[in-house]
Amino acid sequence: MSAENIAAFVDITDVICPITFVKVKVALEDIDAGELLAIRMNDGEPVRNVPRSLKDEGHLVAAVERRVDGTFTVLVRKGGNQ
Amino acid sequence: MEIQVNGKTVQLEKEIAVAELLEHLRVEARQYVSVQVNGLFVARDEFLARKLAAGDEVEFLYFMGGGSRSLSNEQLERYSRHIILREVGAKGQKRLLDAKVLIIGAGGLGSPAAMYLAAAGVGTIGLADFDAVELSNLQRQIIHATADVGKAKVESARETIATLNPDVAVSTYRERVSAATIADIIKDKDYDFIIDGVDNFSAKFLINDACVLLKKPFSHAGILQFIGQTMTYVPGTGPCYRCIFPAPPPAGTAPTCREAGVLGAMAGIAGTIQATEALKYILGVGELLTGNILVIDAETMEFRKVRVAHNGNCRVCGDNPAIRELFDEEQPVCETR
C-alpha cells in the first residue's frame, strides 16, 4: 500500500449495487480533489463496476489490490482522470 | 507507553489495538473514521489485529465531516437513485433536505407536486389550503384517499407525506390565501420556492404578485380538459405571470375546471413538472421554464415551449410597477374545486 496519506476510507463490502457506488460517491465528496480514497470492496460485481464508474466520473483509479481475505482495496484519486 | 494520536501524546497502560484505542478515546461515529498508523492506512477489518506499539503515530479523521448534515445509512439507501446522479450527489441531496418549498393548493397540481417533493427528501414542505377533501377531488388529487373525505386537505396531505417520508417536516396553513395572509405564509418559514397549485385566477395573480414583491421563485401551472400550461418565475430573470396575462379574464369568458372538466392525469403531468422545476431550482441543475411557457396537449401528446418575454410595462415587475402592495383580484368566475 502506498505510503502517501489516504484521506478517507470506505468499506462497501456490506452493501450491494447501487449503494456500493453511493457510499463511494459520498466519501469522495468529502475529500478534496487530488486526495486519495481507499475503498474496500468485494470481488465480482463491485470490483468490475465501481472502478469503471469512478473512471467515468473523472477519477483516477490508482491501485487495485487483492487482499488476503479475498476482498479488494481500490485506491482512487479524486478528480485525477479529468 | 506513549503514542502520538493526531499530533498529541497519549499515555497507555498496555499495548492495545486500533479498535480499542478508538474506544478508549471515546471516538464517536467510529464507522466513519479512517485510521493511519505511521503514515500507513489501516483497513477496518484490521482494527482489532493491529496492535499499537510505543512511539506509534496514529492519525484518524472523519471522512463525513465538514460540519454539515451527514446522511444516515437509511438516507443513503432511500436517496440512492438521486445520489448516484452526477448532478445531485450527496451534496445535492443534503441541499434538498435543507430546502423549503411552499405548495399553495393541496389539490390536483399540489398532490403530485407534494408527493414527489416529499419523496425526493425536500426537508420542509408547507401546504396551504382552506378546503376539505370531497369525493369529486379523488379523480385527480392523489394525495388524498377515500377515507379522507371530509378531512381538511392540509391534514390529509400531511398524513400521506408522513407515511411516505419521515425526513420531511410539514407545515400546514388551513387558510384561504389572500392579500392579507399570503406574505405571512411565505415568510413563516422563509420558503425557497413556491408552487402555485391553485385553481382560481385571483389566487394565481396573488401568488404571482406576492412572489414578485417578496422576490421568491415560483412555478405556475394550470390545467383544463386535456391541456395544461406551466412556467417558472425566478426574480430577475424572465417574465412573471402578469407579464403574459396582465389581468384575470373578464367574467364568464374563462372556462373553469367545473365547467369544462379535466382529465385527472393532466394534473399529474403538470404538477410533476412543477415538482421537477422546484428540484432543479434547488439543485441548480439544467434550464428552468423561465422565459418559456410549456404548453401541453395530452390528446396529441405535444409538448410545446413557447418563448415569452419580460414585459417592461408589466404592472408588477415592469420598469414602473403600479402594483406595490398585494391585493385580491376579483374572481371572475365561480370558485372551483
Side-chain angles (χ1 to χ4, degrees):
Chain A
M1 193 64 68
S2 161
E4 186 181 351
N5 279 359
I6 287 159
F9 167 73
V10 62
D11 186 340
I12 58 169
T13 58
D14 56 342
V15 287
I16 57 166
C17 178
I19 310 297
T20 42
F21 192 55
V22 168
K23 289 187 102 167
V24 171
K25 274 199 71 152
V26 170
L28 277 168
E29 283 184 26
D30 285 323
I31 65 173
D32 292 328
E35 287 189 323
L36 281 175
L37 170 72
I39 312 158
R40 180 174 176 236
M41 64 183 73
N42 286 324
D43 197 359
E45 191 275 330
V47 84
R48 279 199 307 276
N49 287 333
V50 172
R52 206 179 54 185
S53 304
L54 288 167
K55 283 180 208 164
D56 286 349
E57 293 229 331
H59 307 294
L60 180 81
V61 177
V64 179
E65 282 182 10
R66 183 186 280 276
R67 306 168 62 85
V68 285
D69 62 0
T71 64
F72 284 80
T73 299
V74 175
L75 273 187
V76 186
R77 192 176 301 284
K78 180 171 176 175
N81 200 26
Q82 281 172 342
Chain B
M1 68 175 197
E2 242 178 50
I3 62 167
Q4 299 287 315
V5 179
N6 289 2
K8 288 183 185 147
T9 304
V10 172
Q11 295 284 349
L12 296 173
E13 291 176 8
K14 57 182 172 75
E15 192 177 74
I16 61 172
V18 168
E20 293 164 313
L21 176 71
L22 293 178
E23 207 167 314
H24 177 73
L25 296 174
R26 298 176 192 279
V27 174
E28 284 176 32
R30 289 195 277 275
Q31 66 272 31
Y32 298 133
V33 168
S34 159
V35 175
Q36 292 171 69
V37 178
N38 302 330
L40 290 174
F41 151 74
V42 181
R44 183 154 303 270
D45 56 350
E46 290 163 1
F47 276 16
L48 272 174
R50 182 67 167 83
K51 299 280 186 202
L52 296 167
D56 273 353
E57 289 176 17
V58 180
E59 288 280 341
F60 64 85
L61 50 119
Y62 289 96
F63 66 84
M64 298 192 77
S68 61
R69 174 209 296 264
S70 60
L71 299 171
S72 68
N73 283 341
E74 196 181 297
Q75 287 175 321
L76 290 183
E77 189 164 351
R78 177 184 287 271
Y79 306 118
S80 58
R81 266 54 170 191
H82 269 167
I83 296 169
I84 51 185
L85 285 172
R86 193 193 289 248
E87 294 80 0
V88 183
K91 285 203 173 76
Q93 188 59 52
K94 287 179 206 165
R95 210 177 293 166
L96 293 176
L97 286 161
D98 287 334
K100 293 169 280 186
V101 176
L102 172 65
I103 299 166
I104 304 179
L109 298 165
S111 287
M115 290 173 81
Y116 271 111
L117 293 175
V122 168
T124 303
I125 293 179
L127 296 166
D129 201 309
F130 181 72
D131 288 332
V133 180
E134 294 183 23
L135 193 57
S136 65
N137 300 152
L138 301 183
Q139 163 257 18
R140 65 197 177 285
Q141 302 185 12
I142 58 169
I143 205 166
H144 313 298
T146 307
D148 297 322
V149 170
K151 205 183 274 181
K153 282 187 177 178
V154 290
E155 278 313 311
S156 162
R158 181 215 290 273
E159 287 166 16
T160 304
I161 291 173
T163 59
L164 183 57
N165 189 349
D167 285 344
V168 181
V170 179
S171 297
T172 57
Y173 310 91
R174 192 176 182 192
E175 5 186 334
R176 232 177 256 296
V177 292
S178 68
T181 60
I182 191 168
D184 286 341
I185 295 173
I186 292 173
K187 286 179 191 165
D188 179 42
K189 294 273 183 260
D190 190 22
Y191 288 100
D192 304 310
F193 194 93
I194 288 117
I195 288 188
D196 158 12
V198 298
D199 59 3
N200 66 84
F201 291 107
S202 70
K204 287 201 178 302
F205 280 94
L206 179 67
I207 292 169
N208 179 75
D209 295 349
C211 287
V212 170
L213 294 178
L214 295 171
K215 296 187 168 56
K216 293 287 181 184
F218 80 101
S219 165
H220 152 84
I223 50 171
L224 185 74
Q225 296 180 355
F226 289 83
I227 58 169
Q229 66 179 35
T230 175
M231 65 171 273
T232 302
Y233 168 77
V234 175
T237 61
C240 77
Y241 182 62
R242 225 181 246 284
C243 287
I244 305 157
F245 305 101
T253 56
T256 68
C257 294
R258 178 173 281 177
E259 286 171 344
V262 62
L263 187 76
M266 267 314 298
I269 296 176
T272 302
I273 291 172
Q274 291 187 285
T276 309
E277 289 286 280
L279 295 173
K280 282 162 57 189
Y281 175 81
I282 295 161
L283 294 166
V285 167
E287 293 164 29
L288 295 166
L289 281 171
T290 49
N292 284 287
I293 186 159
L294 180 68
V295 181
I296 304 156
D297 183 340
E299 278 191 299
T300 56
M301 270 308 170
E302 269 181 310
F303 283 57
R304 219 156 39 87
K305 254 169 140 177
V306 180
R307 214 175 262 262
V308 282
H310 170 70
N311 177 358
N313 296 320
C314 176
R315 287 166 60 215
V316 68
C317 78
D319 305 329
N320 266 314
I323 301 170
R324 292 170 187 275
E325 277 180 17
L326 293 173
F327 70 103
D328 294 303
E329 293 273 8
E330 278 189 33
Q331 176 62 19
V333 287
C334 68
E335 292 248 339
T336 57
R337 53 173 62 88

